[in-house]
């Protein structure tokens, strides 16, 4: 009987230790996730402030989200936030995703235009008669200088309009009670 009691006690202690380790791991995961999401929000809001201050949306726009960590970790906060809190976070990160996608489109179009411009230059260079002559070289340099001095590249309005529309929808999370809850979950005091 003593051996059975000892086995039961050891099994209970091992199970308890496993449960405590599991609980501590989950708590640390939640804390780390909260810290990462807080940093993402702060970075995104900084990018938004830059856009609003400069009133410029172009290919030099900084990356708003490197990764959508909210989508990755939001399940960890299901018991901590109200439905309205979740809606605010979701709206913010959907807007960030839209901005990131529109930024990518702006860059894709810009680099497509550069490639097209380079093709035109190559074609025009091939059309120069006697390219190796001094006159041909002068024509080549004149063509290249003319093309290089023209910095216009077609920039469609649609991605820019998507960014501006998303800016209006996203709101500012850092001024909300939900953001304060998230900071508290992450152990962030400032």
């Amino acid at each position: 009987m003593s051996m059975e009691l000892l086995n039961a006690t050891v099994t209970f202690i091992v199970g308890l230790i496993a449960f405590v380790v599991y609980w501590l791991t989950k708590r640390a995961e939640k804390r780390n996730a909260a810290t990462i999401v807080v940093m993402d929000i702060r970075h995104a809001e900084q990018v938004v402030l830059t856009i609003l201050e400069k009133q410029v949306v172009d290919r030099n726009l900084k990356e708003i989200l490197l990764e959508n960590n909210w989508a990755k970790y939001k399940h960890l906060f299901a018991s901590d936030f109200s439905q309205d809190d979740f809606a605010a976070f979701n709206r913010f990160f959907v807007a960030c995703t839209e901005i990131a996608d529109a930024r990518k489109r702006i860059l894709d179009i810009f680099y497509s235009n550069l490639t097209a411009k380079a093709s035109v230059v190559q074609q025009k260079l091939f059309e120069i008669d006697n390219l190796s002559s001094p006159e041909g070289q002068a024509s080549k340099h004149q063509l290249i200088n003319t093309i290089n001095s023209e910095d216009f590249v077609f920039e469609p309005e649609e991605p820019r309009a998507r960014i501006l529309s998303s800016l209006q929808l996203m709101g500012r999370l850092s001024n909300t009670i939900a953001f304060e809850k998230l900071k508290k979950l992450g152990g962030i005091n400032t």
Side-chain angles (χ1 to χ4, degrees), residues 23 26-27 30 70 73-83 85-86 181-182 185:
W23 181 78
K26 283 298 180 184
R27 190 175 84 174
K30 187 175 191 177
W70 173 248
Y73 296 122
K74 67 183 174 182
H75 66 280
L76 296 173
F77 309 111
S79 63
D80 299 301
F81 293 133
S82 70
Q83 191 171 5
D85 293 340
F86 260 96
K181 286 182 197 175
L182 188 63
L185 290 170

Side-chain angles (χ1 to χ4, degrees), residues 128-159:
I128 295 175
D129 290 331
N130 202 3
L131 188 57
S132 59
S133 71
E135 295 84 17
Q137 287 296 307
S139 294
K140 172 186 170 184
H141 291 296
Q142 181 183 6
L143 173 68
I144 291 172
N145 287 337
T146 302
I147 297 290
N148 285 341
S149 67
E150 177 57 57
D151 63 351
F152 175 77
V153 176
F154 174 68
E155 293 184 16
E157 187 58 29
E158 187 273 337

Side-chain angles (χ1 to χ4, degrees), residues 2-64:
S2 167
M3 200 56 159
E4 289 177 5
L5 182 61
L6 180 63
N7 281 339
T9 304
V10 168
T11 303
F12 175 76
I13 290 173
V14 168
L16 184 62
I17 290 172
F19 176 76
V20 168
V21 167
Y22 172 80
W23 181 78
L24 289 173
T25 302
K26 283 298 180 184
R27 190 175 84 174
E29 179 184 12
K30 187 175 191 177
R31 184 180 184 116
N32 292 339
T35 301
I36 290 169
V37 172
V38 164
M39 290 184 336
D40 285 350
I41 292 167
R42 286 180 174 164
H43 174 75
E45 287 184 347
Q46 188 60 45
V47 171
V48 168
L49 284 175
T50 301
I51 293 170
L52 295 174
E53 285 173 3
K54 292 181 178 180
Q55 292 294 308
V56 175
V57 176
D58 61 11
R59 67 181 183 272
N60 297 319
L61 179 66
K62 288 184 180 179
E63 186 81 39
I64 195 161

